[in-house]
Every structure is written in structure tokens, then in C-alpha cells.
Amino acid sequence: MTDGRITTAKLGDHGPEVGVQGLGCMGMSFAYGPVDADASRATLERALELGVTFYDTADAYGAGENERFLAPFFKAHRDEVVIATKFALSIPPDDPTRRVIRNDPPYIRQAVEASLKRLDVDVIDLYYMHRRDVNVPIEESVGTMADLVREGKVKHLGLSEVTADELRAAHAVHPIAAVQSEWSLFSRDIEPKVVPAARDLGVALVPYSPLGRGFLTGSFAKAEDLTPDDFRRQQPRFTGENATANAPLLELIRSVAKAHDASLGQIALAWVQQQATVHGLPVIPIPGTRKPSRVEENTAATRIVLTDEQLDLLDGIAAQVAGNRYADMTFTSAGRE
């Protein structure tokens, strides 16, 4: 079946044409509990059939395992897919709650060579700085990333979780195609500053966790519902009193979903997709899944158009959310704005 293909959009003024929805691949080998490699491979293939051409990974996902897992799929479809991966963040195996961030030029060069090898490609389509090391001038880091473009190892540059000022400083060194940040009905901290800066510079927004890490789908209600190795058990929004306070917020989404004969997740995704019109810039969300049926559900959300009344109804949800999206927000743009 190849029906229901999604439309395309340009990844900012300086990026490639991609499907209006991408696929976050982290959970296929990292972070969200037990994995099923066969189901994940089927998910990748089904996504491509439906017009999903933008695939997101990072060297931090399973210490490179996610890049290695994706390599055969990318090799089989190299001319059809846009590969995005990232550097700068590592997670010590002995302490999964820790984050080590490096943006220094020697590390960037080491990281890109390792990713190229694991992905088994000659060039990375979009190379992101995964997190910002404030001890290294962003101009220095992006200058090295720009060298990678000139050397033919990378085609386009991206940044993740940067402030508006950091984006402007980086863009002055080399055009930035995309900024990746968490953006959903539950997480809207980038809207006051980062989104307007991206719009002014012709940069696309790539929302990660547009489904609130699954919470907005109603698939779980609290951390205790998740397997012991699921990293969402560490996130404040899903624990204790915060989880109890956040669960009722889904009722507003449920009322809109009923009007569209859609799922909760589809309304959450339709809201994110529609921010492209609301804010006047390309918005390419990357919901993650490991099931072909979920890709079909997610891509169908690109055809749902919410009314102004429904947008207004959903607008107040984020202000009521209890708990931060991470225990340590210093690694996010919101923690530095």
C-alpha cells in the first residue's frame, strides 16, 4: 500500500525538501524499554511508503547503537531519505541519569567520523549540535561544523535546544537549516523567543517529543506504568503529584479528538503541525514510534485541520502542566533564556 502519502515542505531556507512529518528513531534501540528490531524495521519501511523521508537519530542513542541499527535501511534507500544525526551529548553507561556535553572542535571532528562510519554513509544530510556547552563559544563550534560542510562530510547544519541569541550567533557563522526543540501541547517554552528568531532567519523548527513522550496519547498515566528501564521514569512530569495533576489535562484533547473522530495523539500532532501556519515558518515534527500502525496514525494527523475555536481551546493546556520536562533544565534553551 502506498496510499495516504504526506505532503512535503522545505527544511527552512537552507535545507532540503522533506516530508512534513519525520520519524524519531531513538526508541528503536534506546530509552523506551524493550525493543523489537523486526517491528522497528517494518516501521521504517512503512514510514517511507507514506512519504516520511526525514529520519532522526544521534550518536548518544544507545552509544551509537541506533545509528548502526539504521544503517542498512539508509543504505537500501539512500537517495530517498534525509539523514539527521547529532553530536555533543554522551550518557555514561554506568549512570544513565548523567549527561556529558562537549562542543570543542577536536571532539566534533572525532564525532562526525564515528557517525559516518556507524551510518555507513559518505555524507550526513543534517548534522545537529545536540546540546550546548556554554564553555565553548558557539561561533567556534559552528565554525568547525561549517568546515565539515566545506569538506563534504555534512550537507546542512542544525542546532538543538539553543536560545534565540545562540541561534542568531550561529547563523551569522553559517546558515542553520533547522532548530530541534521539544514542542507540544505540554511544552511551549520556545514560542516567545526561539520561534520568532527561527522565522526571521528562515530556519525550520523540528519539534521532538510532539506527543509529550507518549503521555499525550494516553498510553500511560504515570511513571509506574512504564518498565523499569524506561527513562521517562526519571522525568518530573510523569511522577507523583505531577502525574496526577497532568492526567486530567488530556480531557480537553479528548473532546477535540471526538469532534474529528481521531485519536488523542492525532490531535496533539495536528496541533504541532498547524503551528507552521500559526507562526509562519516550516514545522517538521519527528514523533517516534516502533510500530507501523502508529506511523499510519501519525501521518494521518497531517490531514487534520483544527478550527480556530479548537486551537483556542487547546491553547491553555501548557500553562497548567505540573513539573519540568527534565529534572535538570540547564541543558535546555528554556534553562538559559
Side-chain angles (χ1 to χ4, degrees), residues 179-229:
V179 167
Q180 185 176 126
S181 286
E182 187 165 350
W183 199 6
S184 72
L185 283 168
F186 265 29
S187 301
R188 300 180 60 181
D189 49 63
I190 64 170
E191 290 180 28
K193 295 183 178 180
V194 177
V195 171
R199 181 183 60 236
D200 293 347
L201 296 170
V203 176
L205 246 299
V206 177
Y208 72 83
S209 299
L211 294 170
R213 301 195 183 277
F215 192 85
L216 293 171
T217 69
S219 60
F220 73 99
K222 57 186 183 303
E224 289 76 16
D225 296 338
L226 304 167
T227 58
D229 56 346

Side-chain angles (χ1 to χ4, degrees), residues 61-105:
Y61 300 160
E65 186 54 39
N66 196 237
E67 290 179 324
R68 280 188 285 267
F69 172 76
L70 294 168
F73 171 75
F74 291 154
K75 191 178 187 67
H77 302 285
R78 187 64 188 98
D79 294 337
E80 303 169 80
V81 300
V82 173
I83 302 169
T85 192
K86 315 178 195 73
F87 74 90
L89 176 64
S90 60
I91 303 169
D94 59 340
D95 185 1
T97 64
R98 270 188 71 218
R99 301 290 185 267
V100 177
I101 299 174
R102 289 183 63 182
N103 289 175
D104 55 283

Side-chain angles (χ1 to χ4, degrees), residues 255-263 266-267 304-307 310:
S255 68
V256 177
K258 186 176 181 181
H260 285 273
D261 193 21
S263 68
Q266 285 178 318
I267 296 305
I304 295 173
V305 179
L306 304 176
T307 67
Q310 290 168 341

Side-chain angles (χ1 to χ4, degrees), residues 57-334:
T57 182
D59 60 3
Y61 300 160
E65 186 54 39
N66 196 237
E67 290 179 324
R68 280 188 285 267
F69 172 76
L70 294 168
F73 171 75
F74 291 154
K75 191 178 187 67
H77 302 285
R78 187 64 188 98
D79 294 337
E80 303 169 80
V81 300
V82 173
I83 302 169
T85 192
K86 315 178 195 73
F87 74 90
L89 176 64
S90 60
I91 303 169
D94 59 340
D95 185 1
T97 64
R98 270 188 71 218
R99 301 290 185 267
V100 177
I101 299 174
R102 289 183 63 182
N103 289 175
D104 55 283
Y107 180 81
I108 295 171
R109 288 195 165 278
Q110 172 188 329
V112 74
E113 295 297 343
S115 285
L116 285 166
K117 184 176 181 180
R118 284 189 295 263
L119 291 165
D120 193 22
V121 296
D122 296 326
V123 60
I124 293 164
D125 299 312
L126 178 63
Y127 200 41
Y128 286 105
M129 177 192 294
H130 202 164
R131 291 292 185 272
R132 171 94 171 92
D133 178 359
V134 296
N135 297 309
V136 180
I138 196 163
E139 295 86 353
E140 186 176 328
S141 302
V142 176
T144 300
M145 295 168 71
D147 288 341
L148 301 180
V149 175
R150 285 187 282 272
E151 294 164 15
K153 295 175 181 178
V154 170
K155 290 183 180 179
H156 307 283
L157 302 185
L159 303 170
S160 180
E161 290 286 1
V162 292
T163 68
D165 287 345
E166 289 165 348
L167 173 57
R168 290 189 185 95
H171 194 78
V173 176
H174 187 279
I176 302 299
V179 167
Q180 185 176 126
S181 286
E182 187 165 350
W183 199 6
S184 72
L185 283 168
F186 265 29
S187 301
R188 300 180 60 181
D189 49 63
I190 64 170
E191 290 180 28
K193 295 183 178 180
V194 177
V195 171
R199 181 183 60 236
D200 293 347
L201 296 170
V203 176
L205 246 299
V206 177
Y208 72 83
S209 299
L211 294 170
R213 301 195 183 277
F215 192 85
L216 293 171
T217 69
S219 60
F220 73 99
K222 57 186 183 303
E224 289 76 16
D225 296 338
L226 304 167
T227 58
D229 56 346
D230 193 310
F231 95 122
R232 290 172 291 183
R233 293 175 70 100
Q234 306 162 17
Q235 294 188 298
R237 286 183 175 171
F238 309 137
T239 58
E241 294 180 357
N242 290 340
T244 302
N246 290 333
L249 298 178
L250 299 185
E251 288 308 311
L252 280 176
I253 307 172
R254 190 168 280 113
S255 68
V256 177
K258 186 176 181 181
H260 285 273
D261 193 21
S263 68
L264 288 173
Q266 285 178 318
I267 296 305
L269 277 174
W271 180 88
V272 174
Q273 300 275 176
Q274 212 157 323
Q275 298 313 297
T277 301
V278 172
H279 292 279
L281 80 171
V283 177
I284 315 292
I286 49 168
T289 185
R290 300 175 287 197
K291 298 178 180 178
S293 61
R294 288 293 189 193
V295 168
E296 293 167 359
E297 178 182 331
N298 291 347
T299 53
T302 65
R303 296 184 286 278
I304 295 173
V305 179
L306 304 176
T307 67
D308 289 343
E309 289 180 347
Q310 290 168 341
L311 289 171
D312 288 343
L313 184 68
L314 298 170
D315 195 55
I317 291 176
Q320 302 176 62
V321 174
N324 285 328
R325 46 195 179 97
Y326 293 104
D328 184 354
M329 289 290 286
T330 60
F331 299 131
T332 69
S333 60

